[in-house]
């Protein structure tokens, strides 16, 4: 072994040093074991990765390492310098409870006793006896084999005593599980000197480990003795190996000299050219990087310059480009380590500035004098702001405009009231402080003019809002269209991806709108088209360099020049296309939703104007002002409000129901008051009506004539003529004479007021129809109570209800019935088809009126019937002729005729007298039957015939009854 020290063929100078250095480095990362060294260290393997964990027998066999400091376990355990080594070996580190730790028995495992193995012992005992008997019977065949087998078995049996854990290749005491398995905790005392049992356990463990070590050493010696010949053979061939290595080394040295000469002659120049070319390219890249760094360094001043001119889109594009360059081209540059966060903060600042700028723009736009035209205020500025907000995904910016709309709508009404109040001298603003109280002091014409002014202001206000919002929506649709074009372009590029690199470079340059920033392209490698375009952009008159050190850099120049072009002509197609950058990552759904929200904002503007108008109306209506308006005033108010509602619907394209609802509410109140006033008026007229024929003034005749011409409306008052027309006795309606009372004339006028009110306020048609039906029913029922029910005797003080009163009442009812179809047609033309069912009220009213007329006719007949019954019951057939009874009957018939002839038409008079004649004949026939007077030509028959002839002659002598067929033959009983 000594000879091998000087003739070792292994090269030790380089590799061993390297390996040793690795071991020294490895010790820095692993803490050495403080308690005990490894009992059985691992053998070195051929894996080079494990050289730092164990000594190398080849490289380090003559070098002292830390592994030489290891001793065996018995030596460590038998160290005489340790005090109380049997009991407190581990207690110095782990405490006094290291050994005597009692483990609590598990509640889930049953207690196993010998009784559990009784059945197994009963089964295995016979088998064991048979096995022992067979061993005794069988003897070994060969003594030598038995000796070798015994030796081998003994060696294997000895090694089997050593636990398998010591034989594992990954055995290491650093592992806690391995350490616990080798040195069980139960063998050590938790406190020094606790008992003899703990000392015996520690001593037993030491002896056991010593025994394992002896077994291993014996086996190692045995193995070495078996392989001694191989060791001697290796030593004898050592010199031959050294000769071979020396010749090989000389050959390698010669080969290296030849290769060195070839390298100098053939390769060194070419490699130097390549090296210089690579150095030049690296210098160019470094120069481009420095130029890019200089440009990026000027980003913040350029952004500040752009912000000073409110070019937010250009500033944001510049920040985005710089962020991209920092992440891709200048990543890891130490001097720019804070620039990214600074740009992020600057971007947040721009967000706040844009929101504040948009709020200021909205305030200035909405608070302009409304007398100006509806042109958009600074359209270029608005477009730039909207593009910037869309780029930053501030999609709720329209809410700022909505809030300003609410404030401005309030201010419009307030300013209009202040201006109007200041012009009215009757209102003392020092005494009446509140603006609402000042407004309530206005009369209707003043307040009406104020409302008209407010509506005019609101109309201009809505037109201005519509123009602004349409501009914003057009910007949103431009972005949406740009997204669609971008997708189409991407699809086209994907289909044409097989084009050459030059075309791809040009397309990339054109889509990026600047120099394509990449290490793959530099100024020397750019294609001619891109280079020409770059130079042209750098020399553009609209571009300004960021600094003197970066004049040729296109990025900053491009952004600043494009921003100026956007500001100067933002609404032109070219400038709009420049504003819509590719990094505006908004989906089509978001853009469509934003456009719909902006359209809804226009609807909200209309609702706001209507709501403020409603509040203005309610403030004036608190003291019942609107309910006290007369018909003309309310109609004028209604028309004004309807006109404003239609104007807002035309501007905004949607109906707003708040003002319409307020108008309907006020209209309902107006209808109630209108109806109650006229119903009360009619009630008072009926209560004071004496049911005498009234003269018809000329204005009422003109009123009726206008209705006959097809115009159901109140005629305009004509100027007073030099000769006033005298009133007439009858009302001429379509050629017929109507004798009426004053109440019916006023009722006709009231009915026409209802119809005209429907024309003026179409929204109250159904209510007016209901109220008019109620009014007509009231007139019918009340007139029936007063005339037929004789209520006029107590109410007015009439002595009796005469036939003339009855006939006049009937003729008045007929006049109303004449106008009911005209009124029905008037309402039918103004109702919706689904509301035609309400017209049945007129059918019911017509039936009630006809029934009432029929009752009056029956009453007139009943009056004469009672007279006939009274007079004819006393009739006696005797001279003289004519008898007194018939003379009284003819007298009463003449009075009846005189009372009704001028009131009722001739046909109705004839029909009435026919019915009276029938009643007369019935009573006469009954009396003749009672007197047993028959048509036999006798004296009595002659007297009756003379009286009847007198009755017939007098009746037919009355005016209009000369052709009346009386058929007096019916008074006689027919012979059977």
């Amino acid at each position: 072994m000594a000879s091998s020290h000087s003739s070792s063929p292994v090269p030790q100078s380089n590799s061993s040093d390297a390996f040793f250095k690795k071991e020294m480095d490895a010790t820095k990362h692993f803490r050495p074991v403080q308690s005990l060294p490894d009992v059985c260290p691992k053998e070195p393997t051929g894996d080079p990765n494990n050289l730092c964990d164990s000594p190398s027998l080849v490289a380090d066999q003559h070098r002292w390492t830390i592994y030489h400091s290891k001793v065996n376990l018995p030596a460590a355990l038998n160290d005489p310098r340790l005090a109380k080594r049997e009991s407190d070996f581990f207690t110095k580190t782990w405490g006094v409870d290291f050994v005597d730790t009692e483990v609590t028995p598990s509640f889930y495992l049953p207690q196993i006793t010998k009784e559990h193995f009784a059945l197994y012992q009963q089964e295995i005992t016979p088998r064991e006896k048979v096995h022992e008997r067979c061993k005794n019977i069988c003897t070994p065949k060969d003594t030598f084999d038995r000796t070798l087998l015994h030796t081998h078995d003994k060696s294997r049996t000895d090694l089997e005593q050593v636990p398998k854990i010591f034989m594992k290749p990954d055995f290491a005491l650093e592992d806690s599980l391995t350490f616990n398995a080798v040195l069980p905790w139960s063998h050590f005392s938790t406190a020094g000197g606790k008992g003899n049992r703990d000392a015996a356990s520690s001593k037993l463990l030491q002896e056991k480990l010593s025994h394992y070590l002896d077994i291993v050493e014996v086996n190692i010696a045995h193995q070495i003795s078996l392989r001694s010949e191989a060791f001697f053979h290796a030593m004898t061939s050592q010199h031959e190996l050294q000769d071979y290595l020396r010749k090989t080394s000389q050959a390698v040295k010669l080969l290296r000299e030849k290769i060195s000469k070839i390298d100098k002659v053939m390769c060194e120049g070419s490699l130097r050219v390549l090296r210089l070319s690579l150095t030049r390219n690296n210098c160019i890249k470094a120069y481009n990087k420095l130029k890019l760094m200089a440009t990026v360094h000027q980003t913040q001043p350029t952004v500040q310059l752009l912000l000073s001119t409110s070019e937010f889109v250009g500033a944001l594009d510049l920040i985005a480009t710089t962020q991209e360059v920092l992440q891709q081209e200048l990543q890891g540059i130490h001097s720019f380590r804070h620039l990214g966060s600074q740009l992020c903060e600057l971007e947040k600042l721009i967000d706040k500035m844009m929101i504040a700028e948009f709020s200021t723009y909205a305030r200035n736009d909405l608070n302009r004098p409304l007398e100006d035209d509806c042109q958009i205020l600074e359209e270029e500025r608005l477009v730039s702001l909207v593009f910037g907000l869309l780029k930053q995904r501030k999609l709720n910016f329209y809410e700022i405009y909505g809030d300003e709309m609410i404030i401005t709508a309030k201010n419009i009404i307030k300013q209009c009231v202040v201006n109007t109040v200041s012009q009215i001298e009757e209102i003392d603003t020092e005494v009446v402080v509140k603006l609402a109280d000042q407004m309530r002091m206005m009369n209707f014409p003043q307040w009406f003019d104020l409302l008209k002014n407010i509506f005019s202001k609101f109309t201009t206000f809505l037109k201005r809002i519509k123009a602004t919002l349409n501009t914003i929506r057009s910007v949103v649709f431009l972005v949406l269209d740009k997204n669609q074009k971008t997708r189409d372009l991407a699809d086209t590029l994907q289909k044409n991806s097989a084009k050459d690199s030059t075309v791809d470079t040009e397309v990339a340059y054109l889509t990026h709108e600047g120099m394509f920033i990449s290490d793959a392209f530099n100024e020397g490698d750019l294609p001619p088209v891109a280079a020409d375009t770059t130079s042209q952009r750098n020399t553009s008159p609209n571009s300004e360099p960021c600094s003197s050190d970066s004049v040729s850099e296109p990025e900053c120049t491009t952004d600043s020049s494009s921003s100026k072009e956007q500001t100067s002509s933002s609404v032109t197609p070219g400038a709009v296309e420049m504003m819509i950058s590719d990094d505006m990552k908004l989906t089509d759904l978001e853009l469509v939703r934003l456009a719909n929200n902006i359209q809804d904002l226009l609807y909200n503007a209309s609702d706001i104007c209507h709501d403020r108008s409603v509040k203005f109306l309610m403030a004036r209506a608190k003291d019942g002002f609107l309910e006290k308006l007369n018909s003309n005033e309310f109609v004028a108010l209604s028309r004004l409000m309807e006109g404003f509602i239609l104007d807002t619907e035309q501007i905004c394209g949607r109906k707003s129901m708040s003002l319409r609802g307020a108008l309907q509410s006020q209209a309902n109140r107006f209808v109630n008051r209108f109806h109650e006033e006229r119903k009360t008026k009619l009630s008072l007229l009926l209560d004071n009506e004496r049911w005498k024929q009234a003269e018809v003034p000329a204005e009422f005749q003109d009123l009726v004539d206008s209705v006959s011409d097809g115009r159901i409306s109140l005629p305009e008052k004509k100027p007073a003529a030099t000769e006033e027309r005298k009133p007439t006795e009858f009302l001429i309606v379509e050629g017929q004479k109507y004798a009426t009372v004053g109440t019916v004339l006023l009722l006709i006028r009231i009915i026409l007021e209802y119809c005209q009110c429907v024309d003026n306020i179409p929204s109250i048609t159904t209510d007016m129809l209901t109220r008019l039906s109620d009014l007509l029913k009231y007139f019918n029922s009340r007139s029936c109570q007063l005339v037929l029910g004789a209520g006029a005797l107590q109410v007015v003080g009439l002595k009796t209800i005469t036939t003339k009163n009855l006939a006049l009442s009937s003729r008045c009812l007929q006049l109303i019935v004449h106008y009911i179809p005209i009124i029905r047609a008037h309402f039918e033309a103004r109702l919706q088809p689904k509301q035609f069912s309400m017209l049945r009220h007129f059918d019911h009213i017509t039936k009630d009126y006809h029934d009432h007329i029929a009752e009056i006719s029956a009453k007139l007949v009943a009056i004469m019937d009672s007279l006939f019954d009274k007079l004819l019951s006393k009739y006696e057939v005797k001279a003289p002729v004519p008898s007194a009874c018939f003379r009284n009957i003819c007298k009463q018939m003449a009075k009846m005729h005189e009372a009704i002839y001028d009131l009722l038409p001739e046909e109705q008079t004839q029909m009435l007298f026919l019915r009276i004649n029938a009643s007369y004949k019935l009573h006469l026939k009954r009396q003749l039957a009672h007197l047993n007077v028959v048509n036999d030509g006798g004296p009595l028959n002659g007297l009756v015939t003379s009286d009847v002839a007198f009755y017939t002659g007098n009746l037919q002598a009355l005016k209009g009854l000369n052709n009346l067929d009386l058929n007096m033959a019916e008074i006689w009983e027919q012979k059977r």
Side-chain angles (χ1 to χ4, degrees):
M1 296 297 289
S3 62
S4 65
H5 178 71
S6 59
S7 62
S8 176
V10 181
Q12 300 177 6
S13 60
N14 296 327
S15 60
S16 61
D17 292 339
F19 292 152
F20 181 72
K21 288 180 181 178
K22 284 188 177 182
E23 290 177 1
M24 294 302 293
D25 293 337
T27 57
K28 296 180 182 180
H29 300 286
F30 298 98
R31 181 175 58 87
V33 181
Q34 298 294 334
S35 59
L36 279 176
D38 293 341
V39 176
C40 296
K42 294 188 293 184
E43 291 292 335
T45 62
D47 189 0
N49 296 327
N50 294 330
L51 293 176
C52 59
D53 296 334
S54 59
S56 175
L57 296 177
V58 178
D60 298 334
Q61 57 181 338
H62 303 296
R63 185 183 298 274
W64 187 91
T65 64
I66 58 173
Y67 294 98
H68 290 81
S69 64
K70 288 190 175 182
V71 295
N72 55 12
L73 187 60
L77 296 177
N78 295 325
D79 189 354
R81 294 174 295 179
L82 295 177
K84 301 180 180 179
R85 59 185 179 276
E86 291 85 359
S87 60
D88 60 350
F89 179 73
F90 289 105
T91 56
K92 293 180 180 179
T93 303
W94 289 285
V96 297
D97 297 331
F98 179 74
V99 177
D100 295 335
T101 300
E102 296 182 1
V103 180
T104 305
S106 175
F107 297 100
Y108 302 101
L109 299 177
Q111 296 292 333
I112 304 300
T113 60
K114 291 184 178 181
E115 285 74 8
H116 291 84
F117 300 96
L119 181 61
Y120 174 75
Q121 289 179 351
Q122 293 176 3
E123 293 178 355
I124 205 65
T125 300
R127 298 181 184 178
E128 184 181 6
K129 292 180 179 180
V130 172
H131 178 69
E132 293 295 336
R133 190 181 309 116
C134 292
K135 287 173 60 178
N136 296 329
I137 294 174
C138 297
T139 57
K141 297 180 180 180
D142 192 356
T143 304
F144 179 74
D145 293 340
R146 288 178 60 189
T147 302
L148 292 176
L149 181 62
H150 175 70
T151 304
H152 180 68
D153 290 342
K154 181 179 180 182
S155 176
R156 185 173 61 183
T157 302
D158 292 340
L159 285 176
E160 287 178 354
Q161 294 180 7
V162 180
K164 298 298 183 180
I165 190 172
F166 292 103
M167 305 300 179
K168 292 183 177 180
D170 57 348
F171 175 81
L173 286 178
E174 290 85 350
D175 187 6
S176 59
L177 297 178
T178 304
F179 185 82
N180 293 332
V182 173
L183 302 175
W185 296 97
S186 59
H187 289 274
F188 302 97
S189 175
T190 58
K194 186 173 183 181
N196 295 329
R197 181 175 59 83
D198 298 334
S201 298
S202 300
K203 187 175 181 180
L204 179 61
L205 179 60
Q206 294 175 9
E207 294 177 354
K208 184 184 297 185
L209 293 175
S210 300
H211 178 63
Y212 293 160
L213 181 60
D214 295 340
I215 292 175
V216 171
E217 290 177 348
V218 169
N219 278 274
I220 289 174
H222 177 67
Q223 293 296 330
I224 291 174
S225 64
L226 292 177
R227 291 171 176 79
S228 57
E229 294 181 359
F231 280 107
F232 286 110
H233 177 71
M235 295 304 299
T236 55
S237 61
Q238 186 73 14
H239 296 287
E240 295 179 2
L241 289 175
Q242 289 183 355
D243 294 337
Y244 289 141
L245 289 176
R246 190 179 301 107
K247 292 179 181 180
T248 303
S249 177
Q250 292 177 355
V252 169
K253 183 178 179 180
L254 181 62
L255 181 61
R256 285 182 176 180
E257 291 177 354
K258 292 181 180 181
I259 291 176
S260 178
K261 293 179 181 180
I262 294 174
D263 179 52
K264 290 181 180 180
V265 174
M266 300 182 64
C267 299
E268 186 174 353
S270 301
L271 290 177
R272 184 180 178 186
V273 171
L274 293 177
R275 191 180 301 108
L276 292 176
S277 177
L278 181 61
T279 303
R280 178 180 179 277
N281 290 334
N282 291 336
C283 291
I284 292 175
K285 291 181 180 180
Y287 173 70
N288 290 333
K289 289 288 184 181
L290 291 175
K291 287 175 59 180
L292 189 59
M293 290 174 63
T295 303
V296 170
H297 183 66
Q298 294 297 323
T299 297
Q300 289 179 310
T302 307
V303 169
Q304 296 294 338
L305 180 62
L306 293 173
L307 293 180
S308 64
T309 57
S310 299
E311 297 183 11
F312 300 105
V313 178
L316 291 172
D317 288 339
L318 182 57
I319 290 175
T321 304
T322 306
Q323 291 279 25
E324 181 180 357
V325 171
L326 286 176
Q327 293 176 3
Q328 297 180 1
E329 309 295 331
L330 301 179
Q331 187 175 9
I333 302 298
H334 185 72
S335 59
F336 289 153
R337 64 187 183 278
H338 301 304
L339 183 58
S341 59
Q342 292 173 358
L343 292 177
C344 291
E345 294 297 328
L346 191 58
E347 189 173 0
K348 294 178 182 179
L349 177 62
I350 293 176
D351 292 347
K352 297 179 180 178
M353 291 178 63
M354 285 194 299
I355 293 175
E357 186 76 11
F358 185 79
S359 178
T360 304
Y361 174 84
R363 191 178 305 109
N364 295 336
D365 178 48
L366 296 176
N367 291 325
R368 284 184 293 162
L370 294 173
E371 289 77 10
D372 299 343
D373 54 6
C374 298
Q375 294 296 327
I376 302 174
L377 177 66
E378 299 180 7
E379 186 175 3
E380 298 84 357
R381 176 186 174 194
L382 174 62
V383 172
S384 178
L385 281 173
V386 173
F387 273 118
L389 292 169
L390 292 179
K391 183 179 179 64
Q392 295 303 104
R393 300 182 62 85
K394 302 296 181 182
L395 303 183
N396 58 344
F397 65 91
Y398 62 90
E399 297 177 358
I400 301 174
Y401 200 83
D403 297 338
E404 290 296 333
M405 287 192 311
I406 298 175
I407 298 173
T408 306
K410 294 180 181 179
N411 294 335
I412 287 175
I413 294 181
K414 183 177 180 180
Q415 190 63 35
C416 289
V417 174
V418 170
N419 294 338
T420 305
V421 169
S422 63
Q423 298 174 1
I424 301 175
E425 298 178 355
E426 292 81 3
I427 301 177
D428 189 357
T429 55
E430 296 180 358
V431 177
V432 183
V433 180
K434 292 185 178 180
L435 201 61
D437 296 337
Q438 296 173 2
M439 183 262 296
R440 294 189 187 98
M441 296 179 65
M442 300 178 185
N443 54 30
F444 178 76
Q446 295 170 345
W447 181 82
F448 185 78
D449 292 338
L450 173 60
L451 182 62
K452 185 185 297 184
N453 186 26
I454 291 174
F455 285 164
S456 176
K457 299 286 187 183
F458 274 156
T459 303
T460 307
F461 177 66
L462 288 177
K463 289 180 180 178
R464 184 172 295 172
I465 291 175
K466 182 179 181 181
T468 302
L469 294 182
N470 284 343
T471 301
I472 296 175
R473 290 185 77 231
S474 64
V475 172
V476 175
F477 286 130
L478 281 174
V479 177
L480 185 62
D481 184 61
K482 177 66 175 180
N483 288 350
Q484 183 65 35
K485 290 181 179 179
T486 302
R487 286 195 299 270
D488 295 342
L489 180 61
D491 296 339
T492 304
L493 292 176
Q494 187 175 2
K495 293 178 182 178
N496 300 331
S497 59
K499 292 184 178 181
D500 56 356
S501 60
T502 303
V503 177
D504 289 340
T505 305
E506 295 175 7
V507 172
Y509 166 77
L510 293 175
T511 55
H512 193 275
E513 295 186 359
M515 179 177 289
F516 195 84
I517 305 172
S518 174
D519 289 339
F521 300 104
N522 50 49
E523 294 182 351
D525 298 332
L526 284 175
V529 176
D532 295 341
T533 308
T534 303
S535 61
Q536 181 179 358
R537 291 164 61 89
N538 290 334
T539 59
S540 175
N542 293 331
S543 62
E544 295 181 1
C546 296
S547 66
S548 58
D549 296 334
S550 58
V551 175
S552 61
E553 181 60 30
E555 285 81 2
C556 181
T557 305
T558 302
D559 291 330
S560 62
S561 61
S562 63
S563 301
K564 291 184 179 180
E565 291 174 5
Q566 294 163 12
T567 305
S568 61
S569 59
S570 60
V571 292
T572 60
V576 169
E577 289 296 328
M578 294 178 68
M579 281 188 179
I580 307 176
S581 58
D582 293 335
D583 59 346
M584 193 175 291
K585 303 301 182 181
L586 293 174
T587 63
D588 293 350
L589 180 61
E590 291 175 334
L591 292 172
V592 172
R593 186 183 296 115
L594 178 59
N596 294 334
N597 291 335
I598 294 172
Q599 184 64 34
D600 292 339
L601 189 61
L602 180 60
Y603 300 153
N604 294 338
S606 176
D607 294 339
I608 289 170
C609 293
H610 282 231
D611 293 340
R612 301 312 305 179
S613 301
V614 169
K615 291 183 179 180
F616 179 77
L617 289 174
M618 293 300 103
R620 189 65 182 91
K622 280 187 177 180
D623 54 355
F625 173 77
L626 298 180
E627 298 178 5
K628 298 175 183 178
L629 299 178
N630 56 39
S631 300
N632 295 330
E633 292 173 345
F634 189 82
V635 167
L637 176 62
S638 176
R639 288 179 177 176
L640 178 62
M641 295 174 66
E642 285 286 349
F644 176 69
I645 291 171
L646 293 178
D647 290 341
T648 55
E649 290 178 1
Q650 183 178 4
I651 294 172
C652 301
R654 192 184 72 170
K655 295 182 179 180
S656 296
M657 303 307 297
S658 57
L659 186 58
R660 192 181 298 274
L663 176 60
Q664 186 65 39
S665 175
Q666 292 298 327
N668 293 336
R669 296 179 183 178
F670 169 76
V671 168
N672 292 333
R673 183 183 58 80
F674 181 88
H675 176 66
E676 291 300 328
E677 288 179 356
R678 280 145 184 80
K679 189 174 181 180
T680 303
K681 181 178 180 180
L682 180 61
S683 178
L684 294 174
L685 291 173
L686 288 173
D687 290 343
N688 293 287
E689 182 60 57
R690 301 188 67 85
W691 296 101
K692 292 182 179 181
Q693 184 178 357
E695 293 182 345
V696 180
E699 59 176 331
F700 285 96
Q701 185 62 52
D702 295 338
L703 186 65
V704 172
D705 293 341
S706 66
V707 175
S708 301
D709 295 339
R711 300 190 309 272
I712 303 182
S713 60
L714 296 176
E716 298 179 358
K717 292 184 179 181
K718 297 181 180 179
T722 56
E723 295 181 1
E724 294 184 358
R725 293 183 296 171
K726 296 181 180 180
T728 58
E729 187 177 359
F730 296 96
L731 184 67
I732 307 302
V733 180
E734 296 182 359
Q736 292 189 12
K737 294 182 179 180
Y738 284 89
T740 63
V741 296
T743 301
V744 174
L745 292 176
L746 294 175
L747 177 60
I748 292 175
R749 185 180 182 86
I750 290 173
I751 292 173
L752 295 182
E753 288 177 354
Y754 275 82
C755 296
Q756 187 176 13
C757 195
V758 168
D759 290 336
N760 296 330
I761 312 175
S763 60
I764 62 174
T765 301
T766 55
D767 292 336
M768 277 297 184
L769 190 151
T770 305
R771 302 299 194 281
L772 181 57
S773 301
D774 179 67
L775 186 71
L776 294 174
K777 290 179 182 179
Y778 176 76
F779 173 76
N780 185 40
S781 61
R782 187 60 178 161
S783 62
C784 182
Q785 293 173 4
L786 293 173
V787 180
L788 281 179
L793 299 179
Q794 291 79 22
V795 176
V796 186
L798 296 178
K799 296 180 180 180
T800 182
I801 301 297
T802 63
T803 55
K804 192 170 187 176
N805 299 138
L806 292 172
L808 188 59
S809 175
S810 176
R811 193 57 173 163
C812 291
L813 293 173
Q814 292 173 24
L815 179 61
I816 302 301
V817 170
H818 173 77
Y819 283 107
I820 288 179
I822 301 175
I823 298 170
R824 174 193 173 103
H826 180 79
F827 277 91
E828 183 177 3
R830 287 152 182 81
L831 287 175
Q832 299 294 331
K834 61 183 179 180
Q835 298 173 337
F836 285 166
S837 60
M838 299 184 67
L839 297 174
R840 68 180 184 276
H841 294 298
F842 293 110
D843 299 333
H844 298 160
I845 293 171
T846 303
K847 181 178 180 300
D848 294 340
Y849 272 69
H850 282 300
D851 293 342
H852 190 185
I853 295 171
E855 290 178 4
I856 292 176
S857 300
K859 183 65 176 177
L860 291 173
V861 174
I863 291 173
M864 297 305 295
D865 184 77
S866 63
L867 179 64
F868 292 149
D869 183 54
K870 180 180 179 181
L871 294 176
L872 291 176
S873 63
K874 299 178 181 180
Y875 174 63
E876 293 180 357
V877 183
K878 62 179 181 180
V881 176
S883 63
C885 176
F886 273 78
R887 284 197 297 269
N888 288 333
I889 289 175
C890 290
K891 182 180 179 180
Q892 295 298 326
M893 293 286 280
K895 289 183 179 181
M896 170 69 75
H897 180 270
E898 182 182 1
I900 69 173
Y901 182 76
D902 292 334
L903 302 177
L904 297 178
E906 185 176 343
E907 295 80 7
Q908 294 185 22
T909 304
Q910 291 177 0
M911 293 299 298
L912 179 62
F913 273 90
L914 283 176
R915 293 177 62 186
I916 293 174
N917 182 59
S919 174
Y920 162 76
K921 292 188 291 184
L922 180 63
H923 285 283
L924 180 58
K925 182 178 181 180
R926 188 182 301 127
Q927 184 64 21
L928 292 176
H930 177 69
L931 297 175
N932 293 321
V933 178
V934 296
N935 189 14
D936 55 358
L940 295 177
N941 178 258
L943 293 174
V944 172
T945 303
S946 299
D947 287 337
V948 170
F950 175 75
Y951 165 79
T952 303
N954 279 278
L955 187 60
Q956 290 181 345
L958 296 175
K959 190 176 181 179
L961 302 180
N962 51 354
N963 296 325
L964 199 64
D965 184 12
L966 300 179
N967 194 12
M968 298 305 295
E970 295 179 355
I971 64 174
W972 305 106
E973 290 286 344
Q974 299 293 330
K975 293 182 179 181
R976 298 178 181 178

